Amino acid sequence: MRWLSGLASKRRFQASLLAGLMAPLALGMMTLGPVALGLVSPAWAGDLAFVTNQSSSDLSVLDLSEGREIKRLSIPGAPAGVAVDSANGQVYVVGADSKTVSAVDMASDAITANLTLDGGPIGAAIDPARGRLFVSDWYNARVWVISTQGLKLERTLATAAPPTGLALSVDGRFLATADRDANTLSLFDAESLTFLRDIPVGGHPFGIRFSADGRLFSADVTDNTISVVNPETGQALGKVPTRERPYGVAFAQGKGFVTNQYDDSVTIFDMASLEVLKTIDVGEYPEGIDTASDGTLVYVTNWFSNTVSVIDAVNLDVIGEIETGDGPRAFGEFIAEAPKE
C-alpha cells in the first residue's frame, strides 16, 4: 500500500544488510526446513497456501505437506488481498496498484477472469454458496459485490468509512466489514445484503474474522487490542491485549492467534477466557494468518522476511519457515485443500 512504501523501503534495506551477515546460517536453516517440516506433521497433506506477494507481483503456491513453494504465478498490480474458494477450485486475488480482481483456477493456474474497479480494492471474502465475492474499497466507504461467474459487478454496499478487512460468518448468515476510520464494523445480512448495524470496536480495525461459535473478532491496530463482539446484538464481549499493531486473527485448537506487525510476533489467547497464553516470535512484519484444514497448524506471512512461519497450534511453537516471493501479505483466507486428481 502506498502509505507504507517509505517504511517498507527502509525496513527492507535494513533487512538486506542483516541477511547478508546471516546468509550462511540462514542457508543452513532453510536447507533443513522442508525436511524437518515433512517429518513433523504428515497431516499437512492436502493443503495448499496461496500467498500474495505485493512487491514481486506474483502468487506463491505452497505445498504445505512438503513445507515448500511449488510454483509462482505472475499476478500484475501488486496483489495483497486474497480469498480462496476450495469448493469450486478458485482463488481470487486483489491487485492494489492495478485496481483489479483476478480469478485464478487452482487446477490449471490460469487467470480465468479479470475485473477493474474504480477505487482502491484491498480486502476480499468469498461466499461460495451464493456465488458472490466481496471486495473492500480502501478509498471509498463501500464494498463491491461481484458475481463469481465471470467476475461481474452486481452492486455496492455502503459502509461507515472506507473498509479494509471483510469476513463471512461460518454459517453464512452475516457479512462484516472493518471500517477503519470510523472505529466500527458494518454488519450485513449475507443473503439479502441488507445493512443490519454498526458495531463499535477499537481504534482502526483491520483484519476481522468470525469464530465457529458465531463471535466476531477485530484486530484494532492503534489500540493494540482484539475486540470481541456478538454480531446478533452488537454487544461487546471483551478485549484481548496484543503487542504493537495487530493486523490479522485466526483460530485453532480453542485458541486465537494474532499477528503483531510492529513487534514481529504472534499473540496467542484462550478463546473461552480471552486470556493471553503466550506471545511467540515469527518473521519480520507479520500480516496474513490462516489455519490448516485439520486445525493443527497456523501459517503466518511475514511481509519483510519473505517467508511464512509455521506454528504448531498444540505446542504453541514455531516449527519452521517456508520461503515465498517478495513482500508476502496474504490479506484474507489463503489456505485450501489441494484439488483432487
Side-chain angles (χ1 to χ4, degrees):
M1 309 256 299
R2 291 188 178 90
W3 63 279
L4 276 175
S5 59
L7 173 62
S9 298
K10 179 179 179 181
R11 296 285 293 275
R12 271 190 198 291
F13 177 70
Q14 293 170 337
S16 68
L17 292 179
L18 179 60
L21 295 173
M22 300 296 289
L25 177 59
L27 179 60
M29 291 176 66
M30 290 311 300
T31 300
L32 294 174
V35 175
L37 292 177
L39 293 173
V40 167
S41 182
W44 286 8
D47 281 359
L48 294 178
F50 296 86
V51 177
T52 51
N53 301 310
Q54 187 166 27
S55 301
S56 54
S57 287
D58 48 34
L59 184 71
S60 288
V61 183
L62 311 181
D63 183 330
L64 301 183
S65 65
E66 297 184 8
R68 66 183 183 92
E69 182 185 61
I70 56 173
K71 62 186 76 172
R72 197 176 297 175
L73 312 177
S74 177
I75 306 287
V82 61
V84 169
D85 181 357
S86 300
N88 297 300
Q90 298 290 307
V91 182
Y92 299 95
V93 180
V94 180
D97 285 357
S98 60
K99 302 182 180 182
T100 59
V101 180
S102 300
V104 180
D105 183 79
M106 291 185 194
S108 67
D109 300 332
I111 295 177
T112 58
N114 279 300
L115 176 65
T116 301
L117 299 166
D118 62 339
I122 178 66
I126 186 71
D127 184 349
R130 301 181 180 96
R132 290 172 176 161
L133 175 69
F134 303 100
V135 176
S136 57
D137 186 350
W138 176 260
Y139 297 158
N140 302 283
R142 63 181 178 180
V143 171
W144 290 285
V145 182
I146 301 164
S147 170
T148 57
Q149 297 298 314
L151 295 186
K152 303 297 184 184
L153 180 62
E154 293 185 342
R155 58 180 291 187
T156 60
L157 305 176
T159 57
T164 51
L166 299 163
L168 188 77
S169 62
V170 177
D171 61 8
R173 291 180 58 199
F174 299 120
L175 170 71
T177 71
D179 304 339
R180 191 182 74 104
D181 294 333
N183 301 333
T184 60
L185 309 180
S186 289
L187 192 74
F188 299 87
D189 181 291
E191 173 64 37
S192 65
L193 301 180
T194 303
F195 173 76
L196 298 175
R197 63 185 57 87
D198 286 322
I199 304 175
V201 289
H204 285 196
F206 210 92
I208 59 175
R209 191 164 291 189
F210 287 90
S211 60
D213 63 11
R215 290 178 294 171
L216 180 56
F217 293 71
S218 165
D220 308 323
V221 174
T222 57
D223 282 2
N224 297 334
T225 59
I226 295 291
S227 291
V228 188
V229 300
N230 181 345
E232 297 268 8
T233 63
Q235 176 187 6
L237 300 177
K239 297 269 189 180
V240 180
T242 67
R243 295 285 179 88
E244 194 173 3
R245 300 282 173 161
Y247 183 90
V249 59
F251 313 113
Q253 303 292 315
K255 309 175 190 75
F257 297 76
V258 184
T259 51
N260 301 307
Q261 287 179 316
Y262 285 12
D263 192 61
D264 300 342
S265 68
V266 168
T267 296
I268 305 171
F269 64 91
D270 182 272
M271 291 185 65
S273 66
L274 302 184
E275 294 182 1
V276 173
L277 302 174
K278 189 175 184 180
T279 298
I280 57 177
D281 293 334
V282 290
E284 189 179 9
Y285 215 87
E287 293 204 338
I289 186 168
D290 207 357
T291 307
S293 61
D294 67 0
T296 62
L297 299 167
V298 173
Y299 296 87
V300 174
T301 62
N302 304 306
W303 189 9
F304 292 170
S305 298
N306 297 339
T307 60
V308 170
S309 295
V310 186
I311 300 172
D312 184 322
V314 177
N315 297 320
L316 307 185
D317 293 315
V318 174
I319 60 173
E321 285 191 331
I322 306 171
E323 292 183 338
T324 66
D326 190 13
R329 301 198 67 185
F331 182 40
E333 297 186 22
F334 57 88
I335 292 179
E337 290 190 20
K340 301 297 186 293
E341 294 296 335

